[in-house]
Amino acid sequence: MKEELKDSCYKVQGNTKLKGAVRISGSKNATLPVLAATLLTDREVTLKNVPWLKDVRNMTDVLKELGARANYENGVMTVNTKDVANFETSFELMNKMRASIYVMGPMLARFGRVKVAMPGGCAIGSRPIDYHLNGLRQMGVQIQTKHGYVDARVEKLKGAKIYLDFPSVGATANIMMAAVLARGTTVIDNAAAEPHIVDLEWFLKSIGARIKGAGSRTITIDGVSKLHGAEHTMIPDQIEAGTFMVAAAITRGNVTLESARAADLKPIIVKLQEAGVNVRELKNAIRVSAKKNLKPAKITTMPHPGFPTDMQPQMMALLSTCSGVSVIKEAVWENRFMHVAEMIRMGANLDVQGHTCIITGVDQLTGSKVVAPDLRAGAALVLAGIAAENTTTVYDIYHIDRGYENFAAKLNALGADVTRIDSE
Ligand code: EPZ
């Protein structure tokens, strides 16, 4: 544990069953690339169902640093990038949020130049950007990396056939955005197929792009010369929905998720059902309930439509409370088991061997002081705390603020007792 715990924390009273209904917010991982894609057009764009999260505010700051105007009110964001005249994003903003790399594709497409600070690694892995850069190079971009910056220039992007070694979400999105204004056709093979990639395609089409195939492993984009404004509604957040499904299951409660899309949640639903959790699809909603005795499960994280890595820590918390031996293999990120040590503090029986974690279910987790190592792990620790005996304190909750809108308030409306204590 850190010597000084200055950041805000959540105090979580345990032994609570969650019951009721919760509305799922707009998707963070769909909103971030779509905000970057507003740089492709000089016309105003209106985005609805935008979650007001730290990462979204940071991406808005990146756009403003480039010269855009943006306004947010009650879930609606209007962005106008007509006056963008700066081509450089600062180290300070990039350091706050890696997704600011998303401005590369759109800036090159519209202005032919961009300079971004190299994103650093983070708790879950070293996070290279070689697929992004290789793809852009194939489209004719000259790239220099020096002094911690990526300086990229191109006279006019040209379409290319790009094969990704791994279906990277970020590289797929960046190349899609670059390709919509390129000369000729771009084909991305082994593309990511996540729901947020499909949402990006919907948005790009709404501003006039000619693009098809998102949701499959091949995306084809025919470049156009100009794009226009549009209004677009962000899809519901797949991972927030999955997190609340686990919240219902780990507390053996009964929760209805409003505005969740079952089609996006299939791999999560299948694994919850394997563990004995009841999941019922309703019209525009999903009801999740669980009884005392749940069973173990085997999970390997994979790109969509496989089981999402962003749900791995939450499932680990749940399986820690299911009798029998479960196995989780993390196959997307090289270092996404930082929460294991924290869950062991809470009485979980976990054994990590390389990229695999063996989970032996325990009768009861116990309240403890723990530190959130990253966003999803932080959420998992809060859920574990709600189910555990006594009180759990989760420190470093700034991670959770990056990706969950009103997390404590939503949990408390379902009967949890989660109090935020802000540092001075
Ligand atoms: C996105 O990150 C998400 N972030 C992550 O969610 C998510 O965990 C990840 O996709 C996988 O689903 C956003 O959407 C903002 P990748 P991204 O490129 O795009 C390797 C959360 O909790 N790789 O699909 O950065 C990489 O190291 C966050 O909301 C390269 O080697 O992920 C990793 O092992 C955390 N070279 C794998 O590919 C590259 O150029 C997948 O990364 C790019 C990636």
Side-chain angles (χ1 to χ4, degrees):
M1 174 119 30
K2 280 201 255 172
E3 270 174 34
E4 268 187 293
L5 293 163
K6 288 202 204 112
D7 187 57
S8 310
C9 64
Y10 279 139
K11 272 219 174 336
V12 184
Q13 295 302 331
N15 249 331
T16 315
K17 240 186 216 317
L18 298 191
K19 282 194 181 135
V22 59
R23 188 190 159 274
I24 299 307
S25 297
S27 162
K28 164 179 91 80
N29 289 347
T31 301
L32 297 175
V34 165
L35 277 175
T38 63
L39 288 163
L40 288 163
T41 172
D42 59 5
R43 299 302 167 89
E44 185 163 286
V45 167
T46 303
L47 304 176
K48 294 184 172 167
N49 201 28
V50 172
W52 199 226
L53 300 166
K54 209 151 78 182
D55 270 6
V56 170
R57 292 198 284 273
N58 283 336
M59 184 56 101
T60 311
D61 287 344
V62 172
L63 295 178
K64 286 183 177 166
E65 188 179 42
L66 295 171
R69 279 181 285 128
N71 182 54
Y72 179 89
E73 216 178 308
N74 293 329
V76 180
M77 176 97 87
T78 50
V79 188
N80 193 318
T81 67
K82 180 165 62 79
D83 297 327
V84 166
N86 174 26
F87 306 118
E88 184 172 329
T89 64
S90 63
F91 169 80
E92 286 70 21
L93 284 177
M94 176 58 93
N95 203 35
K96 283 191 192 162
M97 189 192 50
R98 290 182 38 89
S100 36
I101 194 77
Y102 279 144
V103 302
M104 279 196 89
M107 287 295 284
L108 286 165
R110 180 151 151 226
F111 302 105
R113 58 184 286 209
V114 69
K115 190 171 168 188
V116 295
M118 288 276 270
C122 72
I124 60 177
S126 60
R127 307 194 75 165
I129 54 165
D130 51 331
Y131 304 156
H132 303 239
L133 301 188
N134 290 343
L136 294 171
R137 277 197 187 99
Q138 282 175 260
M139 300 179 76
V141 180
Q142 299 290 323
I143 296 173
Q144 284 197 317
T145 49
K146 32 177 205 211
H147 309 302
Y149 278 83
V150 182
D151 198 341
R153 284 165 197 249
V154 65
E155 197 139 311
K156 177 75 186 165
L157 286 165
K158 56 178 181 8
K161 280 193 177 349
I162 295 166
Y163 174 83
L164 296 176
D165 290 349
F166 185 90
S168 153
V169 171
T172 302
N174 233 338
I175 297 165
M176 283 164 79
M177 294 187 280
V180 292
L181 287 174
R183 192 182 299 129
T185 301
T186 300
V187 179
I188 312 172
D189 265 324
N190 202 24
E194 269 65 7
H196 25 290
I197 293 292
V198 178
D199 202 27
L200 177 62
E201 179 180 277
W202 286 336
F203 172 73
L204 293 172
K205 274 186 173 160
S206 76
I207 58 172
R210 293 180 58 205
I211 173 166
K212 63 176 187 206
S216 77
R217 285 276 174 259
T218 304
I219 301 175
T220 308
I221 308 117
D222 289 318
V224 297
S225 55
K226 189 132 180 81
L227 297 164
H228 48 74
E231 197 178 284
H232 176 77
T233 301
M234 305 314 308
I235 55 167
D237 196 301
Q238 176 203 27
I239 305 301
E240 190 201 9
T243 302
F244 277 95
M245 293 171 96
V246 169
I250 199 172
T251 64
R252 310 302 190 256
N254 186 337
V255 172
T256 302
L257 287 81
E258 292 167 355
S259 305
R261 293 199 320 181
D264 296 344
L265 295 162
K266 209 168 173 186
I268 304 167
I269 292 175
V270 166
K271 287 296 152 184
L272 287 172
Q273 287 173 332
E274 192 177 314
V277 178
N278 301 311
V279 181
R280 225 173 113 202
E281 287 176 36
L282 312 170
K283 197 168 171 251
N284 271 334
I286 301 172
R287 186 176 305 140
V288 183
S289 65
K291 297 255 157 57
K292 233 182 165 24
N293 295 324
L294 294 183
K295 296 176 287 184
K298 281 198 174 129
I299 296 175
T300 300
T301 64
M302 277 182 206
H304 192 82
F307 189 89
T309 171
D310 293 347
M311 280 302 299
Q312 180 259 103
Q314 303 88 315
M315 281 305 278
M316 191 182 290
L318 171 64
L319 294 174
S320 294
T321 69
C322 302
S323 51
V325 178
S326 296
V327 181
I328 293 185
K329 184 171 176 205
E330 173 57 55
V332 176
W333 294 109
E334 77 256 32
N335 191 23
R336 206 172 196 175
F337 280 148
M338 302 285 284
H339 42 283
V340 165
E342 306 303 311
M343 287 185 188
I344 289 174
R345 280 187 219 272
M346 299 185 70
N349 185 344
L350 308 173
D351 179 18
V352 174
Q353 299 185 2
H355 289 288
T356 301
C357 183
I358 318 282
I359 303 147
T360 307
V362 295
D363 286 342
Q364 178 78 64
L365 294 170
T366 51
S368 311
K369 290 186 175 177
V370 290
V371 182
D374 66 63
L375 165 59
R376 308 303 174 184
L381 291 168
V382 172
L383 303 190
I386 297 172
E389 258 173 3
N390 301 325
T391 309
T392 295
T393 309
V394 182
Y395 291 96
D396 281 3
I397 59 170
Y398 67 92
H399 289 295
I400 301 176
D401 296 339
R402 287 186 37 217
Y404 288 92
E405 199 175 41
N406 303 324
F407 194 45
K410 284 185 174 184
L411 289 167
N412 290 344
L414 297 171
D417 183 350
V418 179
T419 312
R420 185 185 182 103
I421 301 171
D422 277 313
S423 57
E424 283 147 30

